[in-house]
Amino acid sequence: MLAWPRQRLDPAPQSAQSAVTGPVGPTSPRSEPARAAEPVVDGATENSAPKPLPSLKPHRASASQRAADLERLTSETDLNGFADELRARADAGDADAAWMLADLLEGCATMAEIATMGAALTQQFDSMRVMGYSDQEIALLQTSLHRWTGRCSTFPARSREAWRAQISSSRTRAAVLGHPGAMLMQPLPRGPADSPAVVQATQRARDAGVTLLQQGDALDLLGYAPQLARLSGYGTDSYLMAACSLLDGCLRDPRAYALTMDQDQFLIGLSNSFLELSELSPRRRLIVEAQSAEILRLWRARQYEQLLGGSGG
Amino acid sequence: MKSRVWLLLLLAAVLLLLAVGSDDLANSLARLSTPSVAPAASDSSAAGSDGRTAHTSGNDADPAALASSPTAEAIEPFAPTVAAAAMPLLKFNAAQARVAMRQRWREQDCQMARLYSTPTFVQRREQEWRWLPPDLVEQERRAVAAALTRLTADCPGEITDKAQLIRRSQESQAVLAAARTAGDLYARMEPARRGRDTAELAAEARATMYDVVLSGDMEAIARLGRLDFLLQNDAGTQSIDMFVDGSSLWPMVACDLGMDCGPASRALDQACQQIGNGCGYPSLEALVRDRSPPWQYRLTDQRRREIVARIRSGRIAGMFEPAPPPQPPSDGRP
């Protein structure tokens, strides 16, 4: 419905990340991060995907560093320069830097894509009007779009394929370095649900999800909603509502909250997801509210294994 | 947009269902396609040169009588495959075509009812019920069971043998082809699509839609969503119809024009079987309102009222020409 993809909500196209079609990374994210020599399974093959050099130590950035990075993402005027910094840190083994670099690149790739849409973009906004968005709300989105397009303009022009390759490379690196979000977003191998490869990959994703949720960040319920939903059986929109419930002022008017939040975080596309909450049918809303309440109960009780244990389905 | 995805899934399911069928109908068709039967009395003239009047006859034909009084003739194999080569072409007159198409629709409805009662779908419904208020669940549980009983009351037995399924699929295609050749309006609602130019297909779909509306046949009007979808695909530009709930629009139009859509009606029973929909509503309109995002219901309802007003006032000309671009609502938010 929106003109732009929602970042982090969908895995990169299969063709662009063949290296991550099979599990890459540790059996449990709570153990040591993945090493380059770790074997890949179920069709995943060696390729040019980045591997940590033997000399570097895969690590997570500190919470304060992550917060500072997020702040820079929303305020930095030279995003290309910031990307270079993140790349250097990723090269030194910082999983969070690799992950944020991927988000940044994907956001700017989206902006580059939008810049070429022309009349199609106008049509998208018209569509939103038909769906009941006011001119004021559309204007808010357009302002965000304009602002972020400008911030991304420091990147040299490149093809869609070049953007995609860089994004894929950075996401793969983040997974190899043990970023739980990256590991959670790895596509499951194809095959029957009870095949050993799928079972193992699902368990790895579940472990990564638990590690991610242990960070206690409400935005993770938002940013990884589809992946968490896939593991647990609760709906994606239920995770969105759970996240919205944890953010002051969101539940009262998710659409207004999303549009305001977009001013700051448009690039990583998280808040766009809240728009969906204003589009629920009456029947679906009943289900989502009930599931959201259970997600929140388990999340607050730190019962993450139970949350991702499939009880929602 | 969501409704289009939903409609695509529904169409895929219907296509899947065409591959399976019933013993009784298979037997009937086997009799129909027996090479030794006498040639059909040709009444293709009843369909007119453009086939637009075919729907005027045959509505009251007795399927049993048709099946037992062979009137089809064998001509040529209808498809170049080895399996299909064993299947002779059917030839229907208008009445036979209509009866065969009614059987086909009935068969599809039966298969759909069966599909929604398979463990996968039952499980999905049970999952939804887990999150709904108990009193509502109890009401829905009873309504689903009652609807399923009504929908499958006169359904033939299910075919499970693979070879029989394949044959049934071929027979089903043969029936459809023969009914199309006879110019039957119901058959025209399932136009052959393979290898056809979309503009040509859309033009044909548009003509058929006019004829369906003119026919006043409520069941046919309720099924216009498929053809409407073809028109949307061909339009190339955005129109208001891309935003309405295409799976509900035409059934609701038919309701307004007199089709029974109240409790225990076929229309409501069928809608209630679909996953994501509730059951036990007083009307189809209430069901659609409950399962639609408010903005989409508003658009669907608006479009439905426009269509009904035009039909009632006889202003049908131009009704299915490309719709104007979408206009934002005057009141801002829904």
Side-chain angles (χ1 to χ4, degrees):
Chain A
M1 257 166 272
L2 293 173
W4 43 89
R6 290 159 182 174
Q7 314 308 325
R8 297 172 61 181
L9 295 187
D10 298 303
Q14 198 84 6
S15 59
Q17 58 176 61
S18 58
V20 293
T21 53
V24 179
T27 306
S28 165
R30 283 163 288 188
S31 62
E32 285 291 313
R35 289 181 169 78
E38 189 158 323
V40 291
V41 294
D42 194 54
T45 55
E46 292 290 328
N47 67 1
S48 59
K51 302 282 191 298
L53 300 171
S55 58
L56 64 77
K57 291 182 179 173
H59 61 277
R60 298 291 308 276
S62 66
S64 59
Q65 177 70 66
R66 293 204 295 266
D69 287 344
L70 188 59
E71 170 59 27
R72 284 190 69 186
L73 187 67
T74 60
S75 60
E76 179 63 64
T77 52
D78 180 9
L79 286 178
N80 192 19
F82 183 40
D84 287 340
E85 289 179 38
L86 290 171
R87 192 174 293 109
R89 280 169 46 200
D91 287 345
D94 184 338
D96 290 284
W99 192 236
M100 179 159 282
L101 174 62
D103 279 348
L104 196 166
L105 292 172
E106 187 150 11
C108 284
T110 304
M111 293 305 134
E113 186 87 17
I114 288 173
T116 66
M117 286 179 69
L121 181 61
T122 304
Q123 198 175 54
Q124 288 286 345
F125 284 124
D126 287 345
S127 300
M128 293 183 74
R129 287 191 178 90
V130 171
M131 292 166 60
Y133 285 79
S134 68
D135 287 344
Q136 192 181 5
E137 290 169 330
I138 300 288
L140 274 174
L141 280 173
Q142 287 171 326
T143 301
S144 296
L145 189 60
H146 182 72
R147 180 176 164 217
W148 283 96
T149 303
R151 294 185 63 207
C152 288
S153 64
T154 54
F155 278 98
R158 66 199 68 180
S159 68
R160 179 189 294 183
E161 290 69 30
W163 278 112
R164 196 167 285 171
Q166 290 177 339
I167 295 162
S168 175
S169 170
S170 196
R171 292 221 185 279
T172 304
R173 179 181 292 277
V176 171
L177 292 172
H179 190 281
M183 294 163 68
L184 177 63
M185 285 184 66
Q186 303 254 313
L188 295 178
R190 290 180 181 170
D194 58 353
S195 70
V198 173
V199 169
Q200 286 175 16
T202 303
Q203 186 56 47
R204 267 191 290 272
R206 186 162 283 131
D207 289 343
V210 169
T211 301
L212 187 82
L213 294 174
Q214 283 171 342
Q215 295 177 173
D217 188 346
L219 284 179
D220 285 337
L221 292 174
L222 168 63
Y224 300 94
Q227 291 74 34
L228 296 171
R230 183 185 63 177
L231 291 171
S232 66
Y234 302 108
T236 297
D237 39 13
S238 302
Y239 278 98
L240 297 179
M241 184 166 280
C244 189
S245 305
L246 291 166
L247 298 169
D248 190 31
C250 178
L251 210 50
R252 193 172 51 249
D253 189 345
R255 182 186 288 184
Y257 185 89
L259 293 171
T260 306
M261 186 179 170
D262 263 340
Q263 295 295 303
D264 289 332
Q265 302 203 1
F266 186 83
L267 192 70
I268 51 177
L270 293 178
S271 58
N272 289 344
S273 307
F274 284 145
L275 298 178
E276 287 185 18
L277 295 180
S278 64
E279 298 168 11
L280 297 173
S281 72
R283 178 181 173 81
R284 183 64 198 166
R285 179 168 292 279
L286 280 178
I287 294 168
V288 166
E289 286 175 348
Q291 289 191 350
S292 167
E294 185 165 298
I295 290 170
L296 283 174
R297 180 177 63 77
L298 294 170
W299 188 79
R300 286 178 169 132
R302 302 183 69 80
Q303 293 179 314
Y304 307 125
E305 286 87 356
Q306 196 173 337
L307 180 54
L308 299 182
S311 63
Chain B
M1 302 295 198
K2 286 176 181 171
S3 69
R4 297 297 164 200
V5 174
W6 188 92
L7 187 59
L8 275 175
L9 292 173
L10 179 63
L11 287 173
V14 168
L15 289 173
L16 177 70
L17 294 176
L18 294 180
V20 295
S22 69
D23 285 311
D24 290 354
L25 190 57
N27 291 337
S28 299
L29 287 162
R31 285 195 292 274
L32 278 172
S33 58
T34 301
S36 60
V37 300
S42 175
D43 66 352
S44 59
S45 58
S49 59
D50 61 356
R52 291 190 179 196
T53 55
H55 59 272
T56 56
S57 63
N59 285 339
D60 301 325
D62 176 9
L66 174 64
S68 59
S69 56
T71 51
E73 67 176 354
I75 306 177
E76 296 288 333
F78 69 93
T81 64
V82 173
M87 182 76 59
L89 266 184
L90 302 177
K91 186 174 181 183
F92 290 148
N93 61 29
Q96 292 164 346
R98 176 50 51 93
V99 170
M101 285 305 297
R102 281 199 178 282
Q103 285 180 313
R104 177 180 170 81
W105 280 6
R106 179 70 190 127
E107 188 178 352
Q108 290 174 353
D109 291 347
C110 286
Q111 295 297 338
M112 194 63 88
R114 276 199 201 101
L115 179 70
Y116 285 126
S117 56
T118 55
T120 302
F121 284 93
V122 169
Q123 191 181 15
R124 285 179 60 185
R125 190 179 288 283
E126 296 276 353
Q127 285 171 356
E128 281 200 342
W129 282 343
R130 189 184 156 195
W131 303 103
L132 292 170
D135 54 337
L136 180 61
V137 171
E138 192 47 45
Q139 177 192 327
E140 283 202 6
R141 201 182 292 277
R142 284 197 300 269
V144 167
L148 184 63
T149 300
R150 284 189 292 268
L151 288 172
T152 57
D154 55 349
C155 285
E158 188 175 12
I159 298 175
T160 53
D161 178 68
K162 193 176 177 183
Q164 210 176 343
L165 280 172
I166 292 171
R167 177 166 175 78
R168 182 67 199 94
S169 173
Q170 293 167 346
E171 290 169 346
S172 182
Q173 289 305 310
V175 165
L176 179 59
R180 280 182 188 141
T181 303
D184 182 76
L185 186 65
Y186 288 7
R188 289 170 56 208
M189 293 176 71
E190 300 182 46
R193 301 177 65 171
R194 185 176 298 173
R196 296 189 64 190
D197 176 64
T198 53
E200 179 198 14
L201 195 57
E204 183 181 318
R206 189 172 286 117
T208 303
M209 289 181 78
Y210 283 115
D211 285 349
V212 167
V213 169
L214 287 168
S215 77
D217 184 326
M218 297 303 161
E219 191 172 358
I221 289 173
R223 291 174 182 250
L224 274 177
R226 284 189 197 183
L227 292 177
D228 207 2
F229 183 69
L230 284 180
L231 289 190
Q232 302 310 318
N233 270 359
D234 177 62
T237 56
Q238 212 164 53
S239 77
I240 193 80
D241 288 342
M242 293 177 68
F243 296 86
V244 305
D245 178 354
S247 65
S248 304
L249 174 65
W250 286 102
M252 288 206 299
V253 166
C255 296
D256 290 345
L257 294 174
M259 188 171 79
D260 181 10
C261 298
S265 66
R266 190 165 197 83
L268 192 53
D269 282 351
Q270 286 177 332
C272 124
Q273 292 292 307
Q274 294 165 16
I275 301 304
N277 289 353
C279 281
Y281 298 93
S283 65
L284 182 63
E285 177 181 348
L287 180 151
V288 174
R289 184 189 290 270
D290 197 34
R291 73 105 186 271
S292 307
W295 68 265
Q296 192 179 41
Y297 182 79
R298 179 178 52 78
L299 288 179
T300 306
D301 187 54
Q302 176 189 321
R303 185 78 178 117
R304 154 206 183 188
R305 289 173 192 280
E306 289 168 1
I307 292 170
V308 170
R310 290 189 69 157
I311 292 175
R312 282 189 171 143
S313 63
R315 290 179 291 116
I316 291 170
M319 211 171 133
F320 299 115
E321 304 313 310
Q327 296 297 316
S330 56
D331 57 345
R333 286 189 176 198

